[in-house]
Amino acid sequence: MGGKLISLAERKDAFLSLERRIHDLVVIGGGITGAGIAWQASEMGLDTVLLEMNDFASGTSSRSTKLIHGGLRYLVNKEFNLVRESGRERGKLYERMPHLIQPIDVLLPLYEKGSISRFKLRLGLGIYDFLAQVRKRDRKRMLSAGQTMKQEPLLKKNGLKGAGMYREYLTDDARLVIAVLKTAASHGAVCLNYSPVKSIEMKTASSQGAGVAGESGSVLVHDLIDGGEFRIRARKIVNATGPWVGNLDESLKAKLVFTKGVHLVFDWNGLPVKQAIYFQNTDGRFVFIIPRDGVVYVGTTDTKFEGDPADVVVDAGDVDYLLAALYSVLEGVSLNPEHVISAWAGVRVLVNQPGKEYSEISRKEEIAVHPSGLVSIAGGKLTGFRKMAWRVLTAIGYPTKGKTARFVEDADFSEFHGLAGFGELMFREGRAKKISDEWVKGWLCRYGTSVAKLIALTPAGATTETLVIIELNWCLENESVVHPADFLERRSGFVQFQPDLARQSSRRVFFRCGEILGWDVAKIELEHKKFASRYIYEQKP
Ligand code: FAD
């Protein structure tokens, strides 16, 4: 299969062949947790299948703050091990996929009214740098009030005591999942989206002896695209379904609590911050302001959530909360709900710790190993996915010592002396075809070394519309795009970060996907209308 995910045309055969043998491992859930487990397992040589009920990364893993981070905030809860592990992991991930992970400096301003003293911040950032093994040149700096204002003139001057500047790493969470899944596929894992697992059947210890050697259970999976149900047998089954984990593992249900996290996106011209800011809101919570490619996103909220995680939405209260937070720290900006050009909401799953506030509950994952052989994993962070995978595989008895997954698909820039050298070459090739550097950069960040193939497929002087369709076709063939939203939201990120481009190109994208899905024109128009009405950016005049 190479480092490619299964296309629409290949699905049927893939399902049929899965039924023919017993697999070492079935992973349920195609967010970062499941993807990481599939990567680690397949790299170890295990015959691995991953099943996702919707699109890959359509759950929490496309709705995060998009930071590969050590979690400075967790120092407050004295979670030193979590900070140490996350901090070190982010360095390793940056090394392995530099096109997808970008270092940024973050300014943490201190105000007289805030609860953090200069001493506490200096100490905290120092501990953070030490635990996360931050390189000398990237370590924290403390700034005076004057220096802080110079660094970020939009900050409120009144009561400003200074700031700390520290290092974070920005990513695209959905693209991270796809990169990890493609790497798993390159090691032979079969990963299928739109494949909900309806039930898990674990064999009892006595029937295991009677069955085929080593088989411990099976899952019943529905193919939502071509129809039909399939029973896939496996030696081990891992339930990595994020906020849905309790649906397939009753034993966890009572322990879980959920919170909603919302991010809002603004045009940079309306919120022209010079750099990323992490500030303490008036209620004591911390909020990020992150500029990125012409837009700025702000988040997150952290409110109790009940109900189906699939139904999580941004509501007016979330918008008001984040706008008020912005006004508490910035001046000279004039923003209201009309200025929100895009937004996303996600659900955190936390393992309840009685007596603790939600914000105090550990973000470390919980792994439940059942006597039947079923393993469930709940909680955790995007950043820790490799370590989480390692712990899951260790828990089910695979010897993982010293085997944390290394190589990443589309990310080997070594023969070009690194990402910068490869980028220069691609810019030159792009210019020869009149593709802008900005566009090539977007492709490079999303597709790594595969940008070369995309450029090769592009005719000279291609219009923006043609460039979008070339990218879409690439994703249809290589990245398991089925529905238009898979491309517009999670492969390209247009909806979140280039909403104008999403608006301009969405109809063409719907027609191309609709053609492959066998939809008639009326259905394409209807689906496009439904999609457009879901987004704030389309509802504007
Ligand atoms: P999910 O991504 O939700 O994946 C679970 C998948 O299982 C879903 O795609 C779902 O469709 C699928 N599924 C469910 N049931 C079935 C079934 N029956 N059959 C098949 N598939 C099924 N972490 C960081 O490191 N950095 C951050 O900046 C950060 N910011 C965050 C901000 C917010 C607002 C939130 C909510 C979380 C944030 N996190 C962050 C945490 C991180 O996003 C999550 O820990 C991570 O994405 C969870 O991944 P997951 O794979 O466990 O869950």
Side-chain angles (χ1 to χ4, degrees):
M1 192 53 66
K4 135 185 198 339
L5 298 175
I6 289 166
S7 70
L8 210 57
E10 296 160 341
R11 285 178 68 94
K12 244 185 196 153
D13 285 348
F15 268 114
L16 290 172
S17 76
L18 289 183
E19 278 203 312
R20 288 190 205 118
R21 58 183 197 275
I22 300 168
H23 305 274
D24 290 323
L25 184 67
V26 165
V27 182
I28 311 168
I32 193 64
T33 308
I37 296 166
W39 173 17
Q40 173 78 62
S42 57
E43 196 175 89
M44 285 164 54
L46 301 181
D47 172 0
T48 306
V49 179
L50 179 140
L51 302 165
E52 162 56 48
M53 71 172 172
N54 201 306
D55 184 27
F56 300 125
S58 58
T60 316
S61 299
S62 57
R63 294 139 186 269
S64 76
T65 310
K66 306 182 193 300
L67 289 171
I68 296 294
H69 64 158
L72 183 59
R73 193 168 73 73
Y74 308 133
L75 279 182
V76 180
N77 299 344
K78 300 195 176 62
E79 292 192 78
F80 298 115
N81 282 339
L82 185 59
V83 177
R84 179 188 291 115
E85 182 178 292
S86 307
R88 293 179 189 189
E89 257 319 272
R90 65 179 194 169
K92 288 184 187 146
L93 291 173
Y94 177 49
E95 242 172 56
R96 288 172 173 83
M97 36 185 128
H99 63 298
L100 256 181
I101 297 173
Q102 178 200 342
I104 53 166
D105 283 329
V106 178
L107 192 66
L108 200 160
L110 291 171
Y111 283 92
E112 271 157 16
K113 279 189 193 150
S115 66
I116 316 170
S117 67
R118 200 175 168 82
F119 171 76
K120 241 175 151 177
L121 182 63
R122 185 193 294 275
L123 183 70
L125 291 177
I127 295 175
Y128 183 75
D129 282 347
F130 171 72
L131 290 176
Q133 289 184 331
V134 176
R135 286 176 306 188
K136 208 169 179 181
R137 65 167 186 268
D138 297 336
R139 287 190 195 148
K140 63 124 194 350
R141 281 183 293 138
M142 296 303 292
L143 308 184
S144 67
Q147 288 168 323
T148 307
M149 284 310 295
K150 219 167 162 188
Q151 196 68 34
E152 184 45 75
L154 282 186
L155 282 173
K156 269 192 177 161
K157 214 170 173 180
N158 200 7
L160 182 70
K161 294 194 294 185
M165 182 83 110
Y166 75 104
R167 189 41 73 95
E168 289 282 18
Y169 289 77
L170 199 56
T171 191
D172 176 333
D173 44 10
R175 291 277 350 149
L176 184 72
V177 173
I178 297 297
V180 171
L181 286 171
K182 285 172 88 175
T183 309
S186 75
H187 294 295
V190 178
C191 307
L192 284 155
N193 53 0
Y194 296 102
S195 305
V197 167
K198 295 287 175 196
S199 60
I200 304 175
E201 200 174 289
M202 299 307 296
K203 290 183 171 247
T204 56
S206 56
S207 67
Q208 272 184 41
V212 188
E215 176 190 347
S216 67
S218 63
V219 298
L220 185 65
V221 56
H222 183 187
D223 177 1
L224 288 181
I225 307 302
D226 296 310
E229 285 189 340
F230 301 85
R231 184 158 289 286
I232 302 177
R233 295 167 297 155
R235 296 187 175 87
K236 301 285 176 190
I237 297 172
V238 175
N239 168 14
T241 52
W244 293 267
V245 70
N247 293 355
L248 293 173
D249 185 345
E250 282 289 326
S251 74
L252 276 177
K253 230 170 192 167
K255 282 187 178 182
L256 304 178
V257 289
F258 303 96
T259 70
K260 172 167 89 161
V262 165
H263 291 83
L264 306 180
V265 184
F266 301 90
D267 191 299
W268 183 83
N269 291 311
L271 184 50
V273 284
K274 274 173 73 182
Q275 69 143 79
I277 304 170
Y278 187 46
F279 68 96
Q280 191 172 31
N281 193 10
T282 46
D283 60 0
R285 289 200 56 257
F286 281 87
V287 175
F288 279 103
I289 304 174
I290 302 179
R292 172 180 199 142
D293 303 331
V295 299
V296 181
Y297 65 93
V298 179
T300 166
T301 60
D302 196 2
T303 49
K304 189 173 175 185
F305 178 81
E306 280 164 348
D308 185 342
D311 298 333
V312 64
V313 288
V314 179
D315 61 35
D318 302 317
V319 176
D320 289 347
Y321 174 88
L322 289 172
L323 282 174
L326 280 177
Y327 280 120
S328 77
V329 74
L330 301 181
E331 56 196 359
V333 289
S334 171
L335 295 171
N336 59 49
E338 296 278 287
H339 292 103
V340 177
I341 56 171
S342 177
W344 64 88
V347 175
R348 293 180 193 83
V349 52
L350 305 171
V351 183
N352 200 8
Q353 294 176 288
K356 285 197 174 176
E357 292 286 321
Y358 281 3
S359 61
E360 293 169 356
I361 294 178
S362 172
R363 264 47 176 178
K364 196 170 176 340
E365 79 281 359
E366 168 118 338
I367 297 172
V369 184
H370 297 287
S372 64
L374 173 70
V375 177
S376 295
I377 174 163
K381 281 161 58 70
L382 199 70
T383 310
F385 76 89
R386 284 189 337 145
K387 292 284 182 186
M388 284 156 62
W390 185 81
R391 286 194 279 270
V392 164
L393 291 167
T394 306
I396 58 181
Y398 288 115
T400 48
K401 204 164 176 13
K403 287 187 184 159
T404 15
R406 299 183 73 80
F407 158 81
V408 181
E409 191 67 13
D410 291 333
D412 183 1
F413 304 103
S414 53
E415 66 175 286
F416 310 96
H417 307 291
L419 177 65
F422 179 73
E424 268 316 310
L425 183 65
M426 291 302 107
F427 290 139
R428 274 205 301 279
E429 290 193 6
R431 283 173 211 142
K433 290 193 165 181
K434 298 198 167 49
I435 313 173
S436 70
D437 285 3
E438 198 191 347
W439 197 278
V440 170
K441 187 176 163 221
W443 275 354
L444 174 59
C445 292
R446 296 198 279 280
Y447 304 100
T449 52
S450 284
V451 60
K453 295 175 195 156
L454 282 154
I455 294 174
L457 289 167
T458 307
T463 60
T464 301
E465 206 171 69
T466 304
L467 291 168
V468 170
I469 294 302
I470 285 168
E471 183 171 345
L472 168 64
N473 285 338
W474 172 263
C475 292
L476 283 162
E477 186 53 38
N478 296 280
E479 298 199 343
S480 285
V481 160
V482 175
H483 290 291
D486 305 345
F487 174 72
L488 290 165
E489 287 179 42
R490 290 171 290 276
R491 303 304 183 279
S492 70
F494 291 162
V495 165
Q496 293 88 347
F497 299 117
Q498 298 182 69
D500 283 344
L501 184 58
R503 185 173 48 233
Q504 284 159 23
S505 57
S506 62
R507 207 155 170 276
R508 274 291 304 271
V509 170
F510 267 74
F511 268 87
R512 176 74 185 113
C513 292
E515 181 192 347
I516 295 174
L517 287 163
W519 294 349
D520 61 23
V521 173
K523 165 100 174 150
I524 294 173
E525 295 285 13
L526 179 72
E527 291 297 324
H528 179 238
K529 211 168 157 191
K530 277 202 280 189
F531 170 84
S533 70
R534 274 171 49 208
Y535 294 101
I536 296 162
Y537 73 89
E538 285 278 9
Q539 289 164 3
K540 296 192 168 210

